[in-house]
Structure formats: structure tokens, C-alpha cells
Amino acid sequence: METLLIVDDDLSLLESLRMHFEDIEHDGSPRYQVVTATSAAQALRLAQEAMPSVVILDMKLPDRTGLDIIEEMKSLCGDARIILVTAFHDMETTIRAMKAGAFDYIHKPFPDLAALDIVVARALEYRQLSRRAATVNVETTAARLGDIVGNSPLIQQLVKEIGKVAGSRATVLINGESGTGKELIARVIHNYSYDEPKPFIGINCSAIVDTLLESELFGHEKGAFTGANAVKPGKFEVAEDGTIFLDEIGDMSLMLQSKLLRVLQEREFERVGGVKRIKLRARVIAATHRHLSDEVTSGRFREDLYQRLKVITLQIPPLRERREDIPLLVHHLLERINEKVHKRVTRVPPEVLAHLTRLPWRGNVRELENVLTRAVVLAPGEVLLSENLPALEPLLPEPGANGHPAGPNGHPTGPTLPNFMVAPIDDPSRIPTLEEAERMLIELTLTVTKGHKGKTCQILGISRPTLERKLQKYGVRQDSQA
């Protein structure tokens, strides 16, 4: 029987959790053996005595914090999985906890105990898997978190993944639409990867013509080409043992992709026009708004390079998929914008915040910042006004807006819209459920785009992984993988 150690100074919660996890199974035996502690000192003693498989550890204890004792706890009870619990949403602590080796980091009050059951079961599963595989120790580092803002589940999960990635030197591929903050995430990974300052060198692969990009990346020798009047170290060399960030790598030419692949394989490179081989010491983080798997299929990106880059993949959610973070982002961005334009717009009426939350945000956080900047500049006082914001778009496209001419009834011709979209419904029983309406809208959009998933995502305002999940959920036929 697996043993759980639960550590919390809330006696009523502690007893409730003990009774829940000791609940009797169908065969008459308790699910787990449970031991409890109310302080860090007692927890460390019981960890050594009981050798628990999973530790549910509260962050705030009377004598020490849960974060303070993670390392000691791990040394005392071996491969136990530690689940940190806190009543506060502290993003920096989340990263520190994951880097220190916590299996998960969850918040009180729990949504329901069934959710906690799932986390514990997953921790036990990973513990069993880890016994059959080599483990990697992650050292704690202290560094600045940056400007990641949000408490949504998607952002919390991303922060946890960053915490795990930061302790590794593996290549990272960051996927995300334009404006989601790919460079910000790369900088946070960099900041948390080193105990002391190291160079962070970024280059936008789409902003430099192909003939100059090779020189920018690898440097050149004097006389290598017309205008090369002196030796110039490239970005890979200047990065030393820090981080080289290759933004929009999906726009790199096939010729340079081939050279980059060789560099990643051999961990060496030469300057343009040179013969001396220089060691690659930097960690490589790449980012793109493109779906590289689609680019590989179309022949625009090398599959072997794609496999090299996606050792670790992070997906940044678009803003429209985490709308609950918009109020926090508005507050954060207003502080920065006010300082930049020398104004003090600090009050946001509830109806203005609701307006901002309902906008489509195709340009993501970058678009939100631009919209707020304009509104701040135009605001006559301290209040943000809705009249200075973009108008809300109609839920449905206007006649002819999908590229088809308007028909006799005023609606676009072409693919037939479901009846509930174009005709009044007198019988409430004919109104589809939300899931039925969503499925019909996805099928309609796939018909309009002739099965092109990239265009379907753009029209519906969702990410590619979200579309794939919904296609699988509704059992929608997938005739095209474009």
C-alpha cells in the first residue's frame, strides 16, 4: 500500500484530507496509508520514518516554508513525489518550486477532492516510471521572472513547464502566434537557467536577408566578401555559454537550415570565409508562429532540423484562449504605458474591462498593448474610455464577408449556413446545444476552407492544437492535413 504524507497547519483541512485518502476501497482496504504533520520539523521526521510515496506539502508552515524543505524532504524519502499546495497565486514561486523538484504546484481551495486524487495518482504513476529510467537533478537558481502575467490554467501550466526546462541545457522550440510573447518566454528560460549573468543574444530570422543572415549567425573573416573589411564574430560566438535565440526560425531558407542542422549536430561552426572550427557553447532556443510540421510536409522546412529543434516544445496560448488573464494584463500594461507616455490613466470602468475581454485579439498581447496605448494617449483624465477602444465585432460575418456574394436573402452564397444561424427559431427545442453549434461551425469552416486547417484556425480564432482536440472530440472527418 502506498503511503501519503500530508503536511498542513490547518487541522480541519488535514483531517478532511486524511479521511478522504483513507477511504475504503471495494475490497475493504483503505486506498492509502496516511501520515500527517503540522510543521516542517515534524514533516521531515515523518518523511524519514514513513518513507512516503507522495508528499502533499503546504507552502506556509509555522516554522519554515514548504519551498525551504523540498531539498531536505527529497534527500530523506528518496524518490517521493512532492506536491506543493498554496493559497496564493505566486508565479515566481511556482517556477522556483518546479525547479526545486516539486512534482506539481496546486492552489487552495481545491476545486474538488477528485482533482487532487488525479494529481496524486499521476504522481504515483510518474514515480513508478522514474524507477525504470534515469533521473536528472534540477538545481535551484535565483533570477528575475520577467513579465509573464496571468493566473489562467494555461499560463500556470506554461510556468510549470518553464520551471522544468530552465534546469536543462536542451534545445527548446517555442510555438505561438505573433504577439503572444515568444521572446519573453525565451528570456525567462534564460534568466532561470544560470546562477550568474550570461549573454542572451536574439536574432529575427525573418528580418534579415538570406545573404546576410549566415554572416550574422556565424560571423565572417576579413575579405570573405565585398565589404568584409574586418573579422566579425557572429551571434553564435558572441553568445558564449549563454543563450542564442532564433526568432521566426520557420522563415529561414533551406540552405541556412542545412548549415544550422550541421552546427547543432556537431556543436561546431566556422565563420564565413574561415577554416577554424569554433565550439558552440550556447544553448539554442528557437521560436516560430508557423506550424513547422505543416512546413515539413510542404517541403519548406527540413524534417531533420525540426526533430533537432523540438527536443523540448513549449506552446504559448493565444490571448483569446485565456481571456480570464485580460484584467491582470490590462493593469500590468497600463503601468508600463503610463510611464512611457507620461500619463496617469489608472481607472478602468467595469464595462470597459468587459469590452476589452470580448474583443477577438488576433494580435494577442501585442495588440492589447497597442490598443491600450492609443486609449491612454486619447484619455482626457485618469479614466480609460470605451469610445477610444475598437468596436466589438458582430458574432456572425456580415453578408458577403466570407468572400461569397450575398444571395437573395441577404446572406452569403456558397456553403449553406445552419438554420439556427440564419432564421429565427420559435421552438426552443430546435435550438442546438453549445457543443452542437460549435461542431456545426467547425464543419462549416472546414468546408469553406476546403479542409485547410491553418485557414480554419485563423477564421475561428483558435490554435492548431485546440482545433485538433475539437476535431477528435466531435468525430469530425479530417480529409486534409493542410
Side-chain angles (χ1 to χ4, degrees), residues 357-377:
T357 304
R358 293 169 58 199
L359 288 168
W361 300 123
R362 296 184 183 89
N364 296 294
V365 179
R366 182 185 298 137
E367 182 186 2
L368 174 60
E369 182 171 9
N370 292 338
V371 165
L372 290 175
T373 301
R374 178 181 182 275
V376 167
V377 170

Side-chain angles (χ1 to χ4, degrees), residues 52-56 79-83 103 123-124 126-127 130 135:
S53 303
V54 174
V55 180
I56 300 175
D79 61 352
R81 292 299 184 245
I82 301 174
I83 301 169
F103 174 76
L124 289 169
Y126 273 85
R127 179 173 178 266
S130 70
T135 59

Side-chain angles (χ1 to χ4, degrees), residues 104-115:
D104 210 336
Y105 185 91
I106 57 180
H107 298 97
K108 293 190 293 189
F110 307 122
D112 55 63
L113 291 180

Side-chain angles (χ1 to χ4, degrees), residues 9 11 21 68 259 261 292 319 353 376 400 402 458:
D9 60 347
L11 294 178
F21 285 112
D68 288 339
K259 295 190 176 183
L261 173 65
L292 289 189
L319 185 56
L353 202 55
V376 167
N402 67 357
Q458 291 177 350

Side-chain angles (χ1 to χ4, degrees), residues 80-98:
R81 292 299 184 245
I82 301 174
I83 301 169
L84 270 174
V85 178
T86 180
F88 303 98
H89 290 262
D90 184 344
M91 204 171 296
E92 184 163 357
T93 305
T94 302
I95 287 187
R96 291 174 59 200
M98 302 308 291

Side-chain angles (χ1 to χ4, degrees), residues 166-225:
S168 163
R169 295 283 292 175
T171 303
V172 179
L173 177 63
I174 302 174
N175 291 318
E177 297 178 5
S178 296
T180 50
K182 295 187 287 294
E183 182 172 348
L184 168 63
I185 299 301
R187 287 186 179 276
V188 171
I189 294 171
H190 169 80
N191 289 338
Y192 273 84
S193 294
Y194 305 99
D195 294 319
E196 57 187 35
K198 300 283 186 182
F200 178 91
I201 306 297
I203 185 167
N204 190 325
C205 299
S206 66
I208 302 175
V209 296
D210 191 48
T211 52
L212 296 179
L213 185 57
E214 182 178 6
S215 173
E216 285 292 320
L217 291 175
F218 308 123
H220 62 253
E221 298 287 349
K222 181 178 180 180
F225 50 82

Side-chain angles (χ1 to χ4, degrees), residues 74 130 342:
K74 288 168 60 182
S130 70
H342 307 292

